[in-house]
Amino acid sequence: FYFASGLGVWFSLGKCSGAAEFYKRRAIKIFPMYWCFIVLWLIFRFAIGEMTIPMAIGNVLGIQVLFGMEGAFNWYITYLLFFYLLAPFIKKLYDFLKKDLLCLVCIGAAFALLYIFCHVPQLTVGLSRLPVFALGMYFGKRAEERERFSLPGQIILLALLPVGYALALYFGQDFLRGWDSGLLWYPVLLSVPGSCLLLSALGKLWNERPTGVFGFLGGWTMELYYMHIFVLEIYQKVFTLRLGIPFSYLHLLPIAVTILLGCLFLRKVVEWLRGCYNC
């Protein structure tokens, strides 16, 4: 999600006259749906007795996450908004460096510095995603400039595709260790460029039909993110922990249907709110 966000943000920045316009557009796009979602989530947390008013305010403002306070759950959006604030400066840095190698060196240095100097868990979990976001912006830069990878480069990227997933599966054997260290998801980044190459090739073979499919899904990414974490938390905390219903793969279909219906509900509520505002 952070990689895809960085990729999209690069193109969004190119359509804006400056940082102020970019921030305004991001706010208009994100906050109406964010507030609908966060209210639903807070109501659920209050209903199961895991939320107080101070904790709710802290999560909405991002204080709970940044200071490692009790009841923090809204870390993802907090850091995403922080990365959006940094995005215009990252773009200026890339424009100043010009050379792709220097951009990649800066991203690698950011990874190294975060792991060397940041030992605060609540900060590491978010800030360690900043290089991922920056890497997405770098690939957005490459795509905008229509720079093609050389044949040896394409071979390397495709060869890294299975390597990334294999490493993620290996480190995922110890889930908590993989989660805490980032080794559960960082190896998958090795597979992202190769996956993009394959999807591009499929698009050409199938007359761009996959582009329409991914374009449709891309238009619903925010709703899908919000609703999947919300529905899965309800399933885990109500059905699994409180009612003692063991997990079954048969549950995946109703879970998926519930997520999709929730996405539609969220989209309709936001459209209604925006319609009222325009009136």
Side-chain angles (χ1 to χ4, degrees), residues 95-208:
D95 290 339
F96 173 76
L97 294 173
K98 295 182 181 178
K99 299 290 185 179
D100 287 349
L101 181 59
L102 291 176
C103 296
L104 293 175
V105 167
C106 285
I107 294 171
F111 262 118
L113 290 172
L114 282 166
Y115 277 97
I116 292 172
F117 295 106
C118 188
H119 302 290
V120 184
Q122 63 268 22
L123 293 178
T124 303
V125 73
L127 292 179
S128 61
R129 268 65 165 199
L130 179 57
V132 179
F133 180 82
L135 190 65
M137 289 188 66
Y138 164 76
F139 273 85
K141 174 180 179 294
R142 288 290 301 249
E144 184 182 52
E145 295 169 354
R146 297 188 177 275
E147 290 188 38
R148 295 182 178 273
F149 286 97
S150 63
L151 181 58
Q154 293 183 41
I155 292 173
I156 292 171
L157 293 177
L158 289 173
L160 288 174
L161 200 159
V163 173
Y165 286 111
L167 287 173
L169 289 172
Y170 172 76
F171 288 111
Q173 295 177 83
D174 186 344
F175 184 85
L176 291 178
R177 174 174 168 268
W179 174 268
D180 292 338
S181 65
L183 292 173
L184 190 64
W185 52 80
Y186 285 131
V188 179
L189 284 175
L190 296 173
S191 304
V192 170
S195 299
C196 291
L197 282 178
L198 285 180
L199 291 173
S200 177
L202 288 173
K204 291 179 179 179
L205 287 174
W206 296 345
N207 298 319
E208 305 298 335

Side-chain angles (χ1 to χ4, degrees), residues 143-279:
E144 184 182 52
E145 295 169 354
R146 297 188 177 275
E147 290 188 38
R148 295 182 178 273
F149 286 97
S150 63
L151 181 58
Q154 293 183 41
I155 292 173
I156 292 171
L157 293 177
L158 289 173
L160 288 174
L161 200 159
V163 173
Y165 286 111
L167 287 173
L169 289 172
Y170 172 76
F171 288 111
Q173 295 177 83
D174 186 344
F175 184 85
L176 291 178
R177 174 174 168 268
W179 174 268
D180 292 338
S181 65
L183 292 173
L184 190 64
W185 52 80
Y186 285 131
V188 179
L189 284 175
L190 296 173
S191 304
V192 170
S195 299
C196 291
L197 282 178
L198 285 180
L199 291 173
S200 177
L202 288 173
K204 291 179 179 179
L205 287 174
W206 296 345
N207 298 319
E208 305 298 335
R209 288 179 187 173
T211 305
V213 174
F214 289 114
F216 173 78
L217 291 174
W220 289 81
T221 49
M222 192 176 297
E223 292 91 336
L224 286 168
Y225 174 77
Y226 286 149
M227 292 312 302
H228 98 271
I229 54 175
F230 184 46
V231 171
L232 289 175
E233 181 172 294
I234 293 174
Y235 175 80
Q236 179 192 20
K237 295 193 173 181
V238 176
F239 288 89
T240 305
L241 296 180
R242 302 207 172 197
L243 299 180
I245 301 174
F247 170 78
S248 170
Y249 286 104
L250 295 175
H251 299 164
L252 292 178
L253 180 59
I255 287 174
V257 171
T258 305
I259 290 172
L260 293 175
L261 290 174
C263 289
L264 184 61
F265 168 77
L266 202 57
R267 173 73 65 92
K268 292 297 181 182
V269 170
V270 171
E271 288 176 353
W272 177 76
L273 287 172
R274 282 178 171 157
C276 293
Y277 174 77
N278 290 333
C279 291

